[in-house]
Amino acid sequence: METKRPTNPAAEEILGGYFPVLDHGFVSLVDYMGDDEAIERAARVSYGAGTRKVSQTRGLVRYLRRHHHTTPSEMVELKFHCAMPMFVARQWIRHRTASVNEYSGRYSLMPLLFYTPRQEHFARQSESNRQGRDAGAAPEELYREAVQRWEEARKGAAEDYGWLVGEDVARELARIDLPLSTYTQWYWKIDLHNLFHFLTLRTAPNAQWEIQEYARVMAGMLKRVAPLSYEAWVDYNLCGASLSRGEREAIGRLLEPSEEGIRARPGEGEVDREALGELGLSAREIRELREKLGPVIRPEFDLDLSRMREAEEVEREMYQAVPGSFE
């Protein structure tokens, strides 16, 4: 039966497909409601697409994003099926604006799949960031030792879990010593406005690398559901920057509006650190302002369709990792 729902052929192409993330994780776009035109119709409270041009829809979508009119984008929703290590899930769940149903270790047996970072992502604690890792990889010998220790600990945890389950100990108790590297799964449904907030934070370079990997795949899926909204998000949120009063005054000393656009103010060459301090900017704010004025790198979150997997294939792998699945 032909649907009357708004759909996007690019989104339909990946619907229900599974894209691998990390070593055993995945993200799948299970369902979606609405597209760019749905945002326009909600904003105008109109009856259907009519004869409006794409350029007009784009103009409105960008206006709404630029001026923080968020309610129309709440009318679009995306539902994902995701598998991630538990430590990533604990970060992820801090975004309390989604509907979540997680895999139950009380009801179902846990697939014994564990995350191991690749060597290039294994690093010491950053000296400048208390919650992040150093930019460079740690020595190879340290990495090999860490992997060996992880494998020993996980082998013991997996054997204990299998033994407890085999002795018919309650599953809610058998699971309690499984490590944070164990993979969990959930269905995660969120509206577009709150998804933008999640993606802005989790694709940022200072986010943990592992959750960045999930956010990048989800951004690629969003690009297929609502490409005009995706473009506005990249331009105004991901690659844009807000300015404080002091920052605006500092830039205003160097530039002025003209009839044709903007131009340099005559006789102004630099606003130095002392002048920025007089405008109320701290040392950190000055550093952040310099970063805002640096080169803009526009990311492209395109999905590699050659990596998309069928649901049945992913389900088989998960089932084979459950204790006793071959008995």
Side-chain angles (χ1 to χ4, degrees):
M1 182 177 179
E2 186 176 353
T3 182
K4 295 182 179 180
R5 295 173 54 241
T7 59
N8 191 321
E12 295 294 310
E13 186 178 13
I14 64 166
L15 198 64
Y18 282 71
F19 289 82
V21 185
L22 305 183
D23 48 4
H24 300 295
F26 57 72
V27 175
S28 173
L29 179 64
V30 176
D31 198 3
Y32 66 99
M33 181 184 75
D35 55 6
D36 289 317
E37 290 185 357
I39 294 173
E40 180 183 26
R41 290 197 293 275
R44 302 184 188 280
V45 196
S46 62
Y47 292 98
T51 58
R52 294 186 61 78
K53 298 178 181 178
V54 172
S55 60
Q56 292 173 306
T57 301
R58 179 178 182 270
L60 177 59
V61 165
R62 293 178 68 83
Y63 176 88
L64 295 172
R65 197 81 213 144
R66 192 162 63 247
H67 293 279
H68 310 290
H69 297 303
T70 59
T71 305
S73 60
E74 293 176 10
M75 304 300 166
V76 176
E77 293 187 341
L78 290 84
K79 185 192 296 183
F80 301 96
H81 181 197
C82 312
M84 74 295 289
M86 289 183 180
F87 70 89
V88 173
R90 300 292 78 81
Q91 289 182 329
W92 198 321
I93 203 66
R94 290 182 61 81
H95 296 267
R96 301 183 298 273
T97 50
S99 298
V100 185
N101 195 56
E102 187 172 0
Y103 188 93
S104 174
R106 298 183 64 199
Y107 179 78
S108 303
L109 291 173
M110 295 291 294
L112 296 177
L113 297 172
F114 308 100
Y115 170 63
T116 300
R118 297 197 302 268
Q119 184 180 348
E120 61 265 33
H121 300 297
F122 179 79
R124 296 186 188 275
Q125 179 66 38
S126 170
E127 295 182 1
S128 60
N129 182 355
R130 293 183 180 180
Q131 63 176 3
R133 67 191 78 173
D134 195 34
E140 183 179 352
E141 307 79 47
L142 179 60
Y143 174 73
R144 288 201 301 265
E145 176 71 16
V147 170
Q148 180 181 342
R149 289 174 178 267
W150 281 332
E151 288 178 349
E152 289 174 357
R154 293 165 183 178
K155 180 180 178 182
E159 289 176 351
D160 290 345
Y161 179 71
W163 178 81
L164 290 164
V165 168
E167 293 296 319
D168 203 28
V169 173
R171 293 171 182 178
E172 66 181 19
L173 296 173
R175 64 181 175 165
I176 63 176
D177 270 350
L178 290 176
L180 286 176
S181 58
T182 310
Y183 274 83
T184 184
Q185 304 177 45
W186 61 34
Y187 267 57
W188 196 70
K189 181 172 70 71
I190 191 167
D191 67 57
L192 185 56
H193 166 58
N194 286 298
L195 179 59
F196 282 143
H197 181 66
F198 171 85
L199 294 177
T200 300
L201 293 178
R202 298 308 183 176
T203 59
N206 61 347
Q208 183 162 348
W209 179 83
E210 285 79 6
I211 202 167
Q212 286 186 51
E213 288 292 279
Y214 287 92
R216 284 191 276 263
V217 173
M218 296 167 77
M221 293 175 171
L222 167 60
K223 187 175 182 179
R224 287 172 167 263
V225 172
L228 300 179
S229 298
Y230 165 88
E231 177 194 46
W233 164 69
V234 169
D235 288 349
Y236 298 125
N237 298 113
L238 198 61
C239 295
S242 61
L243 296 175
S244 68
R245 184 272 311 163
E247 290 171 333
R248 288 185 62 184
E249 285 192 29
I251 294 173
R253 292 184 182 184
L254 301 174
L255 301 174
E256 64 180 3
S258 68
E259 291 185 3
E260 298 299 324
I262 57 175
R263 65 189 175 196
R265 288 189 183 275
E268 293 291 343
E270 181 180 7
V271 181
D272 60 19
R273 183 176 293 272
E274 182 180 355
L276 291 171
E278 292 173 354
L279 290 172
L281 274 65
S282 66
R284 182 169 183 173
E285 288 175 308
I286 293 172
R287 184 175 69 251
E288 291 175 354
L289 175 58
R290 294 174 63 187
E291 291 172 356
K292 290 177 184 179
L293 299 177
V296 176
I297 300 174
R298 194 176 192 279
E300 293 294 339
F301 300 109
D302 292 315
L303 297 175
D304 181 357
L305 296 188
S306 69
R307 303 188 69 211
M308 186 169 67
R309 306 175 67 194
E310 297 292 331
E312 293 75 15
E313 180 185 0
V314 175
E315 184 180 30
R316 266 195 313 273
E317 288 189 7
M318 288 290 170
Y319 174 73
Q320 289 169 354
V322 170
S325 60
F326 293 106
E327 295 178 1

